[in-house]
């Protein structure tokens, strides 16, 4: 077992998975909220933009998006997300492209989770907000979104769990996370494979199980009493 | 349009030639109504007569196809910031209270003054405490709406509207969702407002309130205003058969 940790840097792969998850979680929460606001907007053009975003990215395979972030965005279009003179350029650039791809993909799910949260809010809340003179933006910020987030804790948690596991797709562009470690074990020391698979599975359970428990607890605690 | 109303008041809300459809259904038919400053107008009528729709249209929670609504001389804007500004001057109390469920009672009342009137937080809280005291729920200031009774919630909703210092207050069946023993506590607050000279348009089924507090009663049926009279005239001498029929059904028990 020690070879797994020494030779195949299990812990640094685990840490990479956590970094991908956290980066994309923050990114997709922000981008997803923006897309949700577009979809809730009274302006038809903005609604169309929001709807198109969700329909495009929710219906595209994540592998395609991650590959495209590297092969199209960087290789063909020359989008660089790290200092190209840095000795660590490829690692940093690929990591950031992977976070970008994961963000863009999961933002569509965050948007839809938030919209399901909006559906838990009675229409009268928005009417009351408007009737005291709040603008559309103020109603969203003060009344609708705070209640939508509370009503969307459980679907948002599901998205976070899915995101955690989906970080393994980053192996396709050479990010050294858990799946990349498994690939390396397969090539270099297949005898360790059983162990490596079990430990990797365990590592993901360790990451996602607390999220599931926290979400159930928070979902109840934060629910808006009506 | 700037002519004074029949009893010499300065007109505050002027609805003229208002028409509204829901699909094929003609819900408001050529409505003309002028409400003077300080006047209390009670709108009565059977369910589906369009009285709630009229109330909501004055605040533009409902759109309309033709006609015009002016408030204090300003026509109701279509949308956007100017509409929000105008709504700040028009208080609205809903049948289902609609207090912001995620905010405390105090925050419900201070939200408008702070965000719309740009009032300092401390001043807004002082104002809110005063208003909560006035409607008798100052002890509940730190609770959430779901912890209050319906009557208390509706009184908070009135305080929330008053915090905006509105020119006119609209009440859309404010007591219809309340248990019978809580109706009076809300009506008492409303009667107090009426006495203090607040301009009010009240859609209600409370005939006692209409007799006591109204300057004028407007009777609607099938989307039309059929009668517009003082409470004595309307209750003692209704002119239309529709109003006679309506009154006979509600006043006999």
């Amino acid at each position: 077992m020690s070879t797994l940790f020494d030779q195949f840097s299990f812990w640094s792969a685990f840490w990479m998975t956590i970094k991908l998850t956290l980066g994309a979680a923050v990114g997709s929460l922000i981008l997803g909220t923006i897309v949700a606001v577009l979809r809730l907007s009274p302006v038809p053009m903005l609604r169309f933009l929001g709807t198109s975003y969700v329909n495009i990215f929710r219906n595209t395979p994540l592998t395609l998006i991650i590959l495209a972030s590297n092969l199209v965005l960087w290789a063909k279009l020359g989008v660089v997300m790290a200092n190209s003179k840095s000795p660590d350029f490829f690692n940093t650039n690929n990591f950031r492209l992977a976070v970008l791809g994961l963000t863009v993909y999961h933002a569509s799910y965050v948007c839809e989770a938030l919209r399901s949260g909006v559906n838990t809010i009675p229409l009268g809340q928005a009417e009351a907000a408007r009737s005291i003179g709040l603008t559309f933006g103020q109603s969203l910020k003060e009344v609708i979104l705070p209640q939508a987030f509370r009503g969307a804790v459980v679907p948002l948690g599901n998205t976070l769990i899915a995101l955690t596991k989906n970080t393994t797709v980053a192996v396709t562009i050479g990010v050294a996370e858990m799946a990349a470690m498994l690939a390396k074990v397969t090539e270099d020391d297949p005898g360790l494979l059983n162990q490596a698979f079990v430990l990797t599975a365990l590592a993901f359970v360790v990451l996602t199980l607390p999220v599931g428990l926290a979400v159930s607890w928070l979902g109840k605690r934060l629910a808006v009493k009506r | 349009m700037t002519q004074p109303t029949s009893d010499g008041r300065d007109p505050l809300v002027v609805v003229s030639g208002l028409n509204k459809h829901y699909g094929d259904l003609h819900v408001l038919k050529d409505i003309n109504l002028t409400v003077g400053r300080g006047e209390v107008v009670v709108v009565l009528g059977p369910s589906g007569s369009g009285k709630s729709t009229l109330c909501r249209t004055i605040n533009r929670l409902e759109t309309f196809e033709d006609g015009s609504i002016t408030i204090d001389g300003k026509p109701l804007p279509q949308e956007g910031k100017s509409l929000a500004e105008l709504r700040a001057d028009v208080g609205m109390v809903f049948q289902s209270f609609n207090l912001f469920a995620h905010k405390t009672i105090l925050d419900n009342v201070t939200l408008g003054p702070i965000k719309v009137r740009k009032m300092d937080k401390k001043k807004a809280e002082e104002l809110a405490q005063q208003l909560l005291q006035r409607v008798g729920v100052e002890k509940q200031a730190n609770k959430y709406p779901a912890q209050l009774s319906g009557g208390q919630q509706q009184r908070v909703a009135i305080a929330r509207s008053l915090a905006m210092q509105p020119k006119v207050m609209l009440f859309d069946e404010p007591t219809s969702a309340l248990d019978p023993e809580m109706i009076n506590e809300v009506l008492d607050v409303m009667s107090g407002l009426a006495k203090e000279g607040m301009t009010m348009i009240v859609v209600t089924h409370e005939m006692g309130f209409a007799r006591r507090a109204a300057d004028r009663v407007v009777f609607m049926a099938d989307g039309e205003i059929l009668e517009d009279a003082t409470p004595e005239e309307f209750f003692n001498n209704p002119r239309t058969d529709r109003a006679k029929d309506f009154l006979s059904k509600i006043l006999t028990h």
Side-chain angles (χ1 to χ4, degrees):
Chain A
M1 186 171 307
S2 62
T3 26
L4 196 59
F5 293 107
D6 301 339
Q7 212 177 313
F8 295 103
S9 39
F10 180 91
W11 291 120
S12 80
F14 186 56
W15 176 232
M16 182 56 85
T17 294
I18 292 174
K19 282 199 295 185
L20 284 169
T21 306
L22 290 179
V26 172
S28 58
L29 194 62
I30 295 169
L31 184 59
T33 306
I34 295 170
V35 179
V37 169
L38 290 179
R39 289 203 78 172
L40 294 169
S41 150
V43 183
M45 187 60 210
L46 297 182
R47 272 205 306 277
F48 173 77
L49 273 178
T51 311
S52 305
Y53 181 96
V54 170
N55 283 335
I56 290 168
F57 289 107
R58 190 175 53 180
N59 296 321
T60 310
L62 178 59
T63 315
L64 197 78
I65 293 174
I66 297 282
L67 277 175
S69 71
N70 183 290
L71 298 178
V72 179
L73 213 55
W74 174 64
K76 287 283 173 200
L77 300 176
V79 176
V80 172
M81 299 189 77
N83 180 3
S84 55
K85 294 196 180 69
S86 149
D88 208 25
F89 168 72
F90 283 101
N91 285 337
T92 315
N93 196 44
N94 282 342
F95 166 74
R96 290 183 183 163
L97 287 169
V99 169
L100 178 70
L102 288 165
T103 294
V104 160
Y105 177 79
H106 289 91
S108 63
Y109 289 90
V110 168
C111 165
E112 294 305 275
L114 273 180
R115 285 208 315 139
S116 79
V118 169
N119 287 338
T120 65
I121 308 171
L123 189 62
Q125 295 284 309
E127 288 187 346
R130 282 189 280 160
S131 79
I132 59 168
L134 296 181
T135 60
F136 172 73
Q138 287 174 321
S139 310
L140 271 185
K141 182 165 161 279
E142 301 294 333
V143 177
I144 304 304
L145 286 179
Q147 295 190 50
F149 274 108
R150 287 156 178 248
V153 168
V154 172
L156 283 174
N158 286 340
T159 306
L160 180 59
I161 290 172
L163 163 66
T164 308
K165 297 185 292 178
N166 286 345
T167 55
T168 50
V169 178
V171 68
T172 53
I173 60 170
V175 179
E177 45 63 67
M178 300 298 277
M181 181 209 66
L182 279 181
K184 206 161 177 320
V185 174
T186 314
E187 259 177 51
D188 296 357
D189 197 348
L192 278 175
L193 263 182
N194 288 351
Q195 240 180 50
F197 269 103
V198 169
L199 280 176
T200 303
L202 217 65
F204 275 99
V205 172
V206 165
L207 286 181
T208 53
L209 200 64
V211 175
L213 293 174
V215 157
S216 308
W217 182 74
L218 273 177
K220 273 192 213 119
R221 215 186 110 84
L222 292 180
V224 180
K225 311 261 184 319
R226 300 196 191 277
Chain B
M1 220 181 273
T2 48
Q3 288 153 359
T5 55
S6 51
D7 57 350
R9 293 177 200 262
D10 167 28
L12 185 60
V13 179
V14 180
V15 179
S16 61
L18 185 69
N19 278 289
K20 176 175 176 62
H21 291 80
Y22 283 132
D24 287 339
L25 200 64
H26 199 170
V27 284
L28 292 177
K29 296 176 189 160
D30 202 28
I31 301 286
N32 292 293
L33 178 68
T34 301
V35 179
R37 203 178 294 275
E39 196 172 21
V40 177
V41 173
V42 168
V43 184
L44 300 176
S47 315
S49 59
K51 53 193 196 306
S52 273
T53 309
L54 174 62
C55 191
R56 292 166 56 82
T57 308
I58 292 172
N59 208 4
R60 219 172 194 292
L61 289 174
E62 302 280 347
T63 56
F64 54 92
E65 290 103 43
D66 45 71
S68 76
I69 298 175
T70 63
I71 290 166
D72 209 4
K74 280 182 245 157
L76 211 56
Q78 290 279 321
E79 54 199 35
K81 230 183 157 81
S82 49
L83 178 59
E85 276 164 21
L86 192 122
R87 277 187 182 133
D89 289 336
V90 180
M92 176 104 188
V93 176
F94 300 87
Q95 182 177 348
S96 49
F97 331 133
N98 294 347
L99 292 181
F100 304 128
H102 64 305
K103 287 189 180 288
T104 63
I105 297 308
L106 190 68
D107 290 343
N108 262 276
V109 182
T110 57
L111 183 66
I114 292 173
K115 294 294 167 187
V116 180
R117 300 281 191 231
K118 310 294 177 202
M119 197 184 274
D120 170 79
K121 185 165 186 258
K122 220 169 151 202
K123 263 177 102 181
E125 283 178 357
E126 276 167 29
L127 171 70
Q129 286 292 0
Q130 271 171 28
L131 289 168
L132 290 174
Q133 197 154 13
R134 175 168 168 189
V135 299
V137 283
E138 70 278 10
K139 292 207 180 71
Q140 325 290 338
N142 295 316
K143 291 190 180 166
Y144 285 88
Q147 296 171 288
L148 269 61
S149 74
Q152 289 173 324
Q153 288 192 52
Q154 193 61 299
R155 285 182 283 150
V156 173
I158 293 173
R160 176 175 69 180
S161 286
L162 287 175
M164 299 303 292
Q165 285 150 336
K167 291 175 178 164
V168 51
M169 298 246 317
L170 309 173
F171 293 83
D172 183 9
E173 301 203 27
T175 57
S176 298
L178 294 175
D179 290 342
E181 75 265 31
M182 292 172 185
I183 290 176
N184 280 333
E185 63 191 52
V186 172
L187 290 180
D188 286 347
V189 170
M190 290 168 60
S191 302
L193 281 177
K195 276 205 197 82
E196 286 164 32
M198 174 62 77
T199 310
M200 294 161 67
I201 300 175
V202 184
V203 173
T204 188
H205 292 293
E206 296 298 326
M207 299 303 145
F209 177 80
R211 275 181 197 273
R212 266 199 327 273
D215 294 311
R216 257 161 73 205
V217 168
V218 166
F219 176 74
M220 287 183 75
D222 303 320
E224 281 178 287
I225 292 183
L226 295 183
E227 305 213 10
D228 184 344
T230 64
E232 299 87 73
E233 261 172 48
F234 177 74
F235 286 109
N236 301 333
N237 267 319
R239 281 174 290 120
T240 58
D241 289 341
R242 193 73 186 79
K244 280 176 197 157
D245 181 53
F246 176 75
L247 286 173
S248 74
K249 277 178 187 149
I250 52 164
L251 294 179
T252 47
H253 55 81

